[in-house]
């Protein structure tokens, strides 16, 4: 199996880890490229693990040639349509598995309709499941809902006394990015309530963030941290009450991995209605929906309501999240 994805930042980016965790055998190569979070191409330590990270300009050329000359099956983690993908994937008869997690629209599904021998399409939320099923021309192709895996096996943790909000999907950026990704709204929520906030960094592009925190006068209410390992990262999740992802537009993965990590510890989420997973959050009562246009009406639930919500989160994660992610995919591969 060849694992193909058009971005990668090893050890610090959730989708990249998800792709890495997908392999049933490390002899199967991951072929990808780097363009963010300071990922370096073609490092020896990655190549030793059969992870081939190419510069952005070189990736399409390598991927095209590899797919053209190889007969191996392919699992593609990409939400982009292009002629080179279609031509190279169709050049040889092979099993093709597709994982979709963002920007799922009619154009993308029509691209899937042009591919030969697609064995399954994997999505991460119920709205996407229904959308792909509706527009996929070959109704024999199974469309499968598989939530991303958590960094840890679902297990409850203690509830902090204070309302501490955790944002763990940092990519850096300027003032406009802070607004678009919902960080501006998050900090204003901290300013206007008794909540504190922890922001987990994945890079040090924090100049505009620190300026905004200082401008809002909430320096003492916000912690900006860079965990060195998964133990420290889990500690930050355990110290939080809520995991927050509230972008103003659906620029993120439809089911952010940090929310799954939180639910697996019984931590409810605060989520923007623009993300498709918000429908599940509302139906299953896994957190609170946030609308920046009505932020003045936002209220945190009572302690008793929080405890009930926390238990629902843990129960939902126990039923729906498989750890590691390869367990979910091994079932799909074996059935095809």
């Amino acid at each position: 199996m060849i694992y193909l994805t058009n971005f990668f930042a090893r050890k610090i980016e959730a989708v990249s880890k998800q792709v890495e965790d997908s392999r049933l055998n490390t002899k199967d190569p991951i072929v990808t490229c780097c363009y963010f979070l300071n990922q370096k191409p073609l490092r020896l330590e990655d190549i030793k693990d059969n992870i081939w990270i190419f510069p952005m300009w070189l990736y399409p050329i390598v991927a095209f040639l590899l797919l053209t000359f190889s007969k191996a099956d392919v699992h593609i983690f990409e939400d982009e349509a292009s002629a080179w993908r279609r031509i190279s994937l169709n050049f040889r008869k092979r099993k093709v598995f597709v994982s979709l997690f963002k920007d799922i629209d009619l154009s993308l599904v029509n691209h899937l309709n042009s591919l030969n021998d697609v064995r399954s399409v994997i999505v991460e939320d119920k709205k996407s499941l229904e959308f792909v099923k509706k527009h996929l021309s070959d109704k024999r192709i199974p469309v499968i809902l598989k939530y991303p895996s958590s960094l840890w096996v679902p297990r409850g943790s203690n509830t902090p006394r204070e309302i501490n909000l955790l944002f763990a999907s940092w990519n850096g950026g300027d003032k406009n990015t802070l607004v678009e990704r919902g960080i501006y709204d998050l900090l204003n929520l901290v300013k206007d309530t008794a909540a504190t906030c922890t922001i987990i960094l994945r890079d040090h592009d924090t100049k505009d963030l620190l300026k905004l925190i200082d401008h809002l006068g909430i320096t003492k209410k916000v912690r900006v941290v860079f965990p060195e390992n998964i133990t420290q990262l889990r500690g930050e999740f355990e110290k939080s009450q809520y995991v927050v992802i509230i972008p103003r537009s659906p620029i993120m993965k439809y089911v952010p991995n940090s929310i799954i990590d939180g639910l697996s510890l019984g931590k409810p989420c605060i989520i923007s209605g623009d993300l498709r997973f918000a429908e599940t959050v509302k139906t299953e009562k896994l957190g609170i929906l946030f609308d920046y246009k009505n932020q003045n009406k936002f209220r945190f639930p009572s302690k008793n309501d929080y405890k009930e919500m926390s238990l629902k989160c843990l129960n939902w994660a126990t039923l729906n999240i498989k750890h590691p992610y390869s367990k979910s995919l091994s079932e799909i591969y074996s059935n095809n």
Side-chain angles (χ1 to χ4, degrees):
M1 183 82 71
I2 297 171
Y3 292 82
L4 208 65
T5 179
N6 57 347
F7 69 93
F8 207 82
R10 198 172 185 193
K11 298 180 180 178
I12 58 174
E13 200 279 323
V15 178
S16 305
K17 183 180 185 306
Q18 192 171 328
V19 175
E20 195 168 350
D21 288 347
S22 298
R23 294 189 295 179
L24 307 184
N25 191 324
T26 53
K27 292 182 179 179
D28 292 336
I30 295 174
V31 180
T32 182
C33 70
C34 57
Y35 63 89
F36 74 150
L37 294 176
N38 296 315
Q39 177 69 63
K40 305 301 181 186
L42 296 172
R43 298 185 307 175
L44 183 59
E45 61 189 281
D46 299 323
I47 293 173
K48 285 180 178 179
D49 292 331
N50 216 3
I51 299 174
W52 299 82
I53 306 172
F54 293 96
M56 192 175 178
W57 67 269
L58 185 56
Y59 166 71
I61 299 171
V62 173
F64 180 85
L65 293 174
L66 177 64
L67 294 178
T68 301
F69 289 102
S70 170
K71 297 180 180 179
D73 297 335
V74 176
H75 192 144
I76 184 166
F77 288 78
E78 297 187 1
D79 50 12
E80 293 181 9
S82 70
W84 75 260
R85 289 176 174 84
R86 175 177 52 79
I87 293 169
S88 58
L89 285 168
N90 288 347
F91 190 77
R92 294 184 182 276
K93 183 174 178 59
R94 70 178 107 229
K95 296 178 182 178
V96 177
F97 301 88
V98 182
S99 285
L100 304 177
F101 42 84
K102 183 176 173 286
D103 297 336
I104 303 172
D105 56 18
L106 187 57
S107 174
L108 181 58
V109 179
N110 284 336
H111 169 66
L112 299 184
N113 288 334
S114 73
L115 301 180
N116 298 336
D117 212 23
V118 174
R119 293 304 181 98
S120 64
V121 179
I122 302 154
V123 298
E124 297 186 345
D125 67 275
K126 291 181 179 179
K127 288 185 74 172
S128 295
L129 178 73
E130 296 306 318
F131 182 85
V132 176
K133 277 185 174 181
K134 179 180 178 181
H135 296 289
L136 203 61
S137 58
D138 188 345
K139 303 302 180 184
R140 296 170 299 176
I141 298 174
V143 184
I144 303 167
L145 173 61
K146 291 288 184 184
Y147 296 104
S149 180
S150 170
L151 287 171
W152 31 72
V153 176
R155 190 181 71 185
S157 65
N158 294 330
T159 302
R161 292 181 179 180
E162 295 182 350
I163 300 173
N164 184 46
L165 312 179
L166 179 69
F167 180 81
S169 189
W170 177 258
N171 277 356
D174 57 15
K175 183 179 179 181
N176 290 334
T177 302
L178 297 180
V179 172
E180 189 176 36
R181 292 178 67 86
I183 301 165
Y184 175 85
D185 298 319
L186 167 62
L187 295 178
N188 272 286
L189 183 62
V190 171
K191 179 179 181 291
D192 295 338
T193 66
T196 59
C197 176
T198 300
I199 297 176
I200 303 277
L201 299 179
R202 297 189 297 201
D203 62 55
H204 291 288
D205 184 10
T206 59
K207 181 180 178 181
D208 289 298
L209 171 67
L210 297 178
K211 277 186 180 179
L212 180 57
I213 292 171
D214 183 62
H215 174 73
L216 294 174
I218 54 174
T219 304
K220 294 183 179 180
K221 298 182 72 178
V222 180
R223 294 173 60 243
V224 179
V225 299
F226 204 126
E228 296 181 0
N229 51 55
I230 195 169
T231 300
Q232 291 181 9
L233 178 63
R234 178 169 180 150
E236 297 298 338
F237 272 85
E238 290 179 338
K239 287 186 285 189
S240 70
Q241 278 200 3
Y242 298 90
V243 177
V244 183
I245 302 286
I246 49 174
R248 290 194 177 189
S249 58
I251 60 171
M252 296 176 172
K253 193 168 181 275
Y254 289 146
V255 183
N257 290 56
S258 60
I259 285 185
I260 296 297
D261 294 333
L263 296 177
S264 296
L265 293 175
K267 307 294 182 178
C269 64
I270 300 175
I271 188 172
S272 164
D274 287 314
L275 295 178
R276 292 184 180 180
F277 189 59
E279 183 174 291
T280 299
V281 171
K282 182 178 179 180
T283 302
E284 303 291 338
K285 298 180 180 178
L286 305 177
I288 312 167
L289 267 60
F290 179 89
D291 180 1
Y292 74 94
K293 295 177 182 177
N294 295 302
Q295 183 168 318
N296 60 326
K297 296 181 181 179
F298 183 88
R299 298 291 183 273
F300 291 103
S302 67
K303 289 183 179 179
N304 287 337
D305 288 343
Y306 176 88
K307 288 181 180 179
E308 183 178 343
M309 190 185 301
S310 175
L311 183 59
K312 287 181 183 294
C313 292
L314 183 58
N315 289 340
W316 182 89
T318 302
L319 287 172
N320 292 281
I321 305 304
K322 289 196 174 181
H323 182 88
Y325 191 60
S326 56
K327 279 189 177 181
S328 293
L329 297 186
S330 63
E331 298 172 356
I332 296 172
Y333 296 154
S334 62
N335 291 330
N336 288 278

